Amino acid sequence: MVVQLSDTPIIMEGKVPLNLLETHAEYEPHPVETLKEELQRVREENSTLRLMLEVLNSKCTKLETHVQEINKAKHKGISSNHIGSVTVPNLDTNKTPRLEFPTAKKPSQIFVRTHPKDDSLRVKDGYQWRKYGQKVTKDNASPRAYFRCSMAPICPAKKKVQRCIHDKSILVATYDGEHNHGALHESSSSTPKGLPVANKLPLTSKPNDKETMNIDLALCGWSQTDKKRHCEDAMQQRDQGSNIKIEEYVSSLVKDPGFTMSLAEAVARTITGQQKQQGLNLNLDLQEE
DNA sequence: CGGTTTTGACCAGCGC
DNA sequence: GCGCTGGTCAAAACCG
């Protein structure tokens, strides 16, 4: 199976890796009807995943177009690789870009979609934050949480996190101050150096791992309806051209081979997990699908 | 036991 | 000066 995301292919040779398809000899064989139902369910899931990939692909294309426009503008003497508040990695060089999270003197915002049921105000951005306050503000019923960077003894970086007033599943993180330390928090030593830390999903994470829920595209542990709803949301956003910052951030994630590989792995793991639950050992040939 | 989170109290800035 | 609001402090609770 070859998943092509723009120019960044994820290659999953042949079938789902053997270690993801553990055998369950202890289970009794399933009646044909049950197996048919399961097959149908897996097909539906595949179509959902396909939809997700389409969304990712379209965002990739969009980003590429945008980068090309920026490059053209650069050639015309307009020097800027900033879109909104998030710095776009330099894609026209071989250097591994670091996604610069807003640490400028001027406060800036990022938007992160979370699981609808996840009511914590946590935004995984690679830094370690210590919450020092929470307040309900006048213009938004959702409480605003105040965080300070705890990675260095004296780091002036702060952030405020509050749910979007219009969409409770979106967290708005406002960054203030600069980090006075270089190293970002490395959650996994297996991830390639130089990659944006925010782009890294833990390769060993379970589908229901809360950590992965903080990233927009970490849909792997979601229910079927959740996935569909979010895909529809994303499609709608694409069509309406709204929430540009989210799209740009997501696009930068998608561009990262490490992220896309992790996503693909998580998807495969999810399918396997569900098989485990129901005691099935379907040898899915995704290439055929 | 040390680090983190929670939460009520406190403070500063601003408009009236 | 007073009230409102956003931001911060700090003690207690919580957690690994």
Side-chain angles (χ1 to χ4, degrees):
Chain A
M1 167 188 169
V2 176
V3 180
Q4 181 77 30
L5 285 176
S6 187
D7 57 349
T8 309
I10 302 174
I11 299 166
M12 296 176 71
E13 294 291 348
K15 296 166 186 177
V16 176
L18 285 175
N19 61 341
L20 297 178
L21 289 174
E22 296 167 18
T23 54
H24 298 272
E26 68 273 20
Y27 291 110
E28 291 295 321
H30 282 67
V32 177
E33 284 306 311
T34 316
L35 289 173
K36 276 181 181 174
E37 282 174 21
E38 180 62 17
L39 190 61
Q40 180 61 29
R41 191 189 59 75
V42 170
R43 282 207 174 114
E44 282 173 13
E45 180 143 1
N46 270 341
S47 87
T48 307
L49 294 173
R50 204 186 301 274
L51 188 61
M52 286 168 66
L53 285 172
E54 281 173 21
V55 173
L56 297 183
N57 216 349
S58 94
K59 288 184 177 188
C60 249
T61 313
K62 253 183 128 177
L63 180 69
E64 280 172 353
T65 315
H66 205 99
V67 168
Q68 280 171 8
E69 285 171 9
I70 290 170
N71 285 338
K72 281 179 191 171
K74 261 188 183 176
H75 287 305
K76 287 176 187 172
I78 305 164
S79 172
S80 171
N81 62 341
H82 284 72
I83 302 172
S85 59
V86 179
T87 304
V88 174
N90 245 340
L91 298 174
D92 54 349
T93 67
N94 287 331
K95 291 177 187 172
T96 44
R98 182 192 149 193
L99 183 66
E100 283 181 28
F101 272 83
T103 55
K105 286 150 196 158
K106 200 169 140 188
S108 49
Q109 293 184 322
I110 66 164
F111 300 84
V112 179
R113 189 183 287 279
T114 62
H115 192 289
K117 287 170 188 170
D118 183 9
D119 56 351
S120 71
L121 292 168
R122 310 276 157 194
V123 176
K124 284 278 175 181
D125 53 15
Y127 289 98
Q128 218 174 331
W129 299 95
R130 185 187 171 199
K131 189 178 176 183
Y132 66 90
Q134 184 166 313
K135 200 88 178 175
V136 176
T137 57
K138 189 186 167 188
D139 55 339
N140 192 338
S142 306
R144 175 185 295 168
Y146 298 90
F147 296 90
R148 241 194 293 262
C149 180
S150 62
M151 289 181 73
I154 305 165
C155 177
K158 291 176 189 174
K159 73 171 176 182
K160 295 175 279 191
V161 181
Q162 191 168 28
R163 299 206 168 273
C164 178
I165 193 165
H166 301 298
D167 186 348
K168 304 272 185 211
S169 66
I170 293 175
L171 289 178
V172 182
T174 308
Y175 291 80
D176 196 6
E178 286 182 84
H179 292 274
N180 60 4
H181 50 89
L184 297 180
H185 174 64
E186 295 287 342
S187 58
S188 168
S189 58
S190 63
T191 46
K193 282 183 180 180
L195 286 172
V197 173
N199 288 9
K200 294 172 186 172
L201 285 180
L203 290 170
T204 54
S205 68
K206 298 171 197 125
N208 59 352
D209 189 344
K210 230 183 165 184
E211 304 254 329
T212 62
M213 294 301 180
N214 291 328
I215 306 296
D216 183 6
L217 293 171
L219 302 168
C220 319
W222 291 14
S223 69
Q224 192 85 346
T225 47
D226 278 343
K227 285 175 191 169
K228 280 180 179 169
R229 192 177 68 78
H230 277 266
C231 283
E232 283 163 9
D233 281 354
M235 291 287 215
Q236 214 173 358
Q237 281 174 19
R238 181 190 61 181
D239 293 339
Q240 293 173 354
S242 63
N243 249 333
I244 290 167
K245 284 181 183 176
I246 298 176
E247 289 198 8
E248 285 161 356
Y249 179 56
V250 166
S251 297
S252 71
L253 290 178
V254 172
K255 197 76 186 172
D256 175 20
F259 168 76
T260 44
M261 181 59 87
S262 302
L263 177 64
E265 254 187 82
V267 167
R269 199 170 284 120
T270 304
I271 295 168
T272 312
Q274 284 168 354
Q275 285 173 347
K276 274 186 186 177
Q277 275 182 355
Q278 300 180 25
L280 284 173
N281 186 26
L282 284 180
N283 193 4
L284 285 177
D285 189 342
L286 297 176
Q287 197 167 19
E288 192 271 327
E289 281 290 313

